[in-house]
Amino acid sequence: QVQLVESGGDLVQPGGSLRLSCSPSGSISSINAIGWFRQAPGREREFVAANRWTQGTTYYSDSVKGRFSISRDRTSGAVFLQMNSLKPEDTAVYYCAAGRPIVSTIRTQRGYSSWGQGTQVTVSS
């Protein structure tokens, strides 16, 4: 079992930046990818980005490509989501998730077996 702790959510103005962190613990050797999802009020949870480090690949949704960047610290295993040029529509609770997804499931919730508690990101002036 893997436990995940997110941090970094905050209130930021449009055009601003935030960096979210996801720190895994437990059976880290059982996972090969961490993804970020988000859920806005009244909307379904959606994929944002993922890092599958064993293949050296990253994935992004079209809505954040070019603005967000996902990276991993090899020493700690923490995964970061750098969010730039934030827009009000980026407002949501952001969740990190861990598992062993394959290419066809890496953008879906079913590709992940462990989830964090979420961190709130609010983009507003």
Side-chain angles (χ1 to χ4, degrees), residues 16-17 48-49 58-70 81-87 90:
S17 298
V48 176
T58 57
Y59 303 80
Y60 298 93
S61 68
D62 289 343
S63 62
V64 307
K65 194 175 298 182
R67 300 188 297 123
F68 291 12
S69 177
I70 190 168
L81 185 68
Q82 178 67 42
M83 306 186 295
N84 300 325
S85 303
L86 283 162
K87 306 175 181 180
D90 295 316

Side-chain angles (χ1 to χ4, degrees), residues 65-102:
K65 194 175 298 182
R67 300 188 297 123
F68 291 12
S69 177
I70 190 168
S71 61
R72 180 176 182 260
D73 181 287
R74 293 184 180 182
T75 301
S76 67
V79 171
F80 307 98
L81 185 68
Q82 178 67 42
M83 306 186 295
N84 300 325
S85 303
L86 283 162
K87 306 175 181 180
E89 50 264 43
D90 295 316
T91 295
V93 177
Y94 283 70
Y95 300 89
C96 69
R100 299 187 67 86
I102 56 177

Side-chain angles (χ1 to χ4, degrees), residues 32 52-57 59 101:
N32 70 351
R52 194 166 62 155
W53 52 84
T54 51
Q55 281 71 40
T57 51
Y59 303 80

